Amino acid sequence: MSYYPESIRKLIKNLSKLPGIGEKTADRLAMHILRAPRRDADRLAHSIMEVKEKIRLCAMCFSLSDAEICNICRDRNRNFSILCVVEQPADMVAIEKSGAFTGLYHILEGVLSPMDGVGPDNIRIKELISRIAQGKIQEVVLATSTNIEGESTAAYISERLGNHPVKVTRIASGVPMGGDLKYVDQVTLKTAMKSRHPI
Amino acid sequence: MSYYPESIRKLIKNLSKLPGIGEKTADRLAMHILRAPRRDADRLAHSIMEVKEKIRLCAMCFSLSDAEICNICRDRNRNFSILCVVEQPADMVAIEKSGAFTGLYHILEGVLSPMDGVGPDNIRIKELISRIAQGKIQEVVLATSTNIEGESTAAYISERLGNHPVKVTRIASGVPMGGDLKYVDQVTLKTAMKSRHPI
């Protein structure tokens, strides 16, 4: 890397800080940026600075937004009585892509993980409780991950909401659609078998 | 992607123009940039703009440089009588890393490829000839790739240099060091066998 001029070395160093980008990939990306039209490189640089300037967290659901309240929370066509709780903005985007949910969201920005020192005060549970305390929400769908942290976070929230007049549900677990049974792990199969339903 | 605010969508779009970065990776990178400290994002953006501003081609060897003449061509400790011809700056960096060469370089910026419409006038062969015509260079090492285009480019240059008082050599081909013979392709093995030498 020291064989490149200073400014290329700096670019490679900064690119290799991105997740999943090692030094070789950063080298390749830097060479591409050098060859690309000036306009494309400028656009990339500006869009990096723009997100840092414009993007903030929605004051209602804490998803990424370029306004005080995000597009979804502002959308009058959505069902304001049902709230889906997810770990992070990307989960919300995944659910939106599925088109299966038309209510509002609440982003926890993490999961309970005592091993990593993340307790109930470190994720947005307090904010969730106060949203529900306003009384407009009738159902809370817990859509945290189905790993240990996600499950225990869901269990914890469900318990905390016990004394609120709200229906608490959990997204279903089971064999993924289009999945080949022989490749599905045992825990998932066990869950799918336990939650079997008449057709 | 349309579930993100405008500025994030723009960043994802610009990131996914980079080679080997699909939409999913671009999404992940964008999320990382959003979470990263403002300073890191600014540094990345600035280094992208900086390379586009500062980097030009060395007037002697055509490698990437932030000055009129690159560090290598300026280095008085190098052997100015031997010239290594490579296809692109990255090849020069690879040879520099090996530490096996202390002469100067000449970057062709491509290989002869009639199928893609690249002829002798489209790569820096004219510039190579005029460097050699100055009479200071005693040996030209052709270090183009060992594929069809690289081989024919080397053959073409060697022919063009026929009437110049200069020694023309080609980097050796054979089994890579540390290579397992059973995984080496047939053409390489054939070359290695043909070029065998006494030990």
Side-chain angles (χ1 to χ4, degrees):
Chain A
M1 197 165 99
S2 63
Y3 311 99
Y4 284 121
E6 169 72 15
S7 55
I8 300 184
R9 284 208 300 273
K10 250 199 315 200
L11 176 59
I12 293 176
K13 203 184 109 200
N14 287 324
L15 284 169
S16 61
K17 280 182 190 160
L18 295 173
I21 309 275
E23 205 189 292
K24 282 210 169 178
T25 311
D27 190 317
R28 197 160 44 86
L29 294 180
M31 289 304 119
H32 173 89
I33 289 169
L34 271 165
R35 287 217 179 82
R38 174 71 181 254
R39 214 185 39 207
D40 285 5
D42 279 351
R43 270 191 199 144
L44 175 58
H46 284 134
S47 58
I48 290 171
M49 291 191 289
E50 200 185 348
V51 292
K52 296 305 277 188
E53 241 155 59
K54 287 201 179 162
I55 296 298
R56 52 175 128 176
L57 298 181
C58 168
M60 279 180 73
C61 71
F62 304 100
S63 70
L64 302 166
S65 170
D66 43 15
E68 169 86 13
I69 304 291
C70 76
N71 290 339
I72 291 179
C73 289
R74 256 197 325 239
D75 187 349
R76 294 266 146 218
N77 293 320
R78 296 189 75 106
N79 183 350
F80 279 43
S81 68
I82 179 164
L83 191 69
C84 178
V85 177
V86 293
E87 294 175 16
Q88 49 189 344
D91 298 335
M92 185 197 92
V93 169
I95 296 175
E96 278 298 290
K97 276 182 184 162
S98 79
F101 183 75
T102 56
L104 300 182
Y105 290 91
H106 185 87
I107 320 286
L108 293 174
E109 200 55 57
V111 271
L112 295 179
S113 174
M115 295 282 280
D116 303 317
V118 181
D121 295 338
N122 303 113
I123 60 176
R124 300 211 177 79
I125 290 182
K126 205 172 66 217
E127 291 86 346
L128 172 65
I129 306 283
S130 71
R131 277 182 87 176
I132 286 156
Q134 290 171 13
K136 284 180 196 154
I137 289 152
Q138 285 158 25
E139 181 179 348
V140 174
V141 184
L142 299 172
T144 50
S145 297
T146 51
N147 53 22
I148 295 179
E149 288 88 359
E151 289 291 351
S152 47
T153 305
Y156 177 84
I157 294 175
S158 161
E159 207 188 296
R160 283 285 300 269
L161 293 178
N163 51 359
H164 285 81
V166 71
K167 188 173 158 193
V168 182
T169 55
R170 177 91 174 106
I171 47 162
S173 288
V175 177
M177 295 303 289
D180 196 330
L181 269 205
K182 66 176 172 291
Y183 298 129
V184 173
D185 65 288
Q186 297 174 9
V187 183
T188 302
L189 273 182
K190 214 181 235 175
T191 312
M193 197 51 86
K194 232 169 74 185
S195 312
R196 68 189 183 276
H197 51 78
I199 53 168
Chain B
M1 197 164 100
S2 63
Y3 310 100
Y4 284 121
E6 169 72 14
S7 53
I8 300 183
R9 285 208 300 274
K10 248 197 316 197
L11 176 59
I12 294 176
K13 203 183 109 200
N14 286 325
L15 284 169
S16 60
K17 281 181 191 162
L18 295 173
I21 309 274
E23 207 189 291
K24 282 210 170 178
T25 311
D27 191 316
R28 197 160 45 86
L29 294 180
M31 289 303 120
H32 172 88
I33 289 170
L34 271 165
R35 287 215 180 82
R38 173 69 180 257
R39 215 185 37 207
D40 286 4
D42 279 351
R43 271 192 197 143
L44 175 59
H46 284 134
S47 57
I48 290 170
M49 290 190 291
E50 202 184 346
V51 292
K52 295 306 275 188
E53 242 155 59
K54 287 201 180 164
I55 297 299
R56 52 176 126 176
L57 297 182
C58 168
M60 280 181 71
C61 71
F62 304 100
S63 70
L64 303 167
S65 171
D66 44 15
E68 171 84 13
I69 304 291
C70 77
N71 290 338
I72 291 178
C73 289
R74 258 198 323 241
D75 187 349
R76 294 264 147 220
N77 293 319
R78 297 189 75 105
N79 184 350
F80 279 43
S81 68
I82 179 165
L83 191 69
C84 178
V85 177
V86 293
E87 294 176 16
Q88 48 189 344
D91 298 337
M92 185 197 91
V93 169
I95 295 175
E96 279 298 290
K97 277 183 185 163
S98 79
F101 184 75
T102 56
L104 299 182
Y105 290 91
H106 186 86
I107 320 285
L108 293 174
E109 200 55 57
V111 270
L112 296 179
S113 175
M115 295 282 280
D116 304 316
V118 182
D121 295 338
N122 303 115
I123 61 176
R124 301 212 177 78
I125 289 181
K126 205 173 65 218
E127 292 85 345
L128 172 65
I129 306 283
S130 70
R131 277 183 87 176
I132 285 157
Q134 291 171 13
K136 285 180 195 152
I137 289 153
Q138 285 158 24
E139 181 179 348
V140 174
V141 185
L142 300 172
T144 51
S145 298
T146 50
N147 52 24
I148 295 178
E149 287 89 359
E151 290 291 352
S152 48
T153 305
Y156 178 83
I157 294 175
S158 161
E159 207 189 298
R160 283 286 300 269
L161 293 178
N163 50 358
H164 286 82
V166 71
K167 187 173 156 195
V168 181
T169 55
R170 177 90 174 109
I171 47 162
S173 287
V175 177
M177 294 304 288
D180 197 330
L181 270 205
K182 65 177 173 289
Y183 299 130
V184 173
D185 65 287
Q186 297 174 7
V187 183
T188 303
L189 274 182
K190 214 182 236 174
T191 312
M193 196 52 83
K194 231 168 74 183
S195 313
R196 67 189 182 276
H197 52 79
I199 51 169

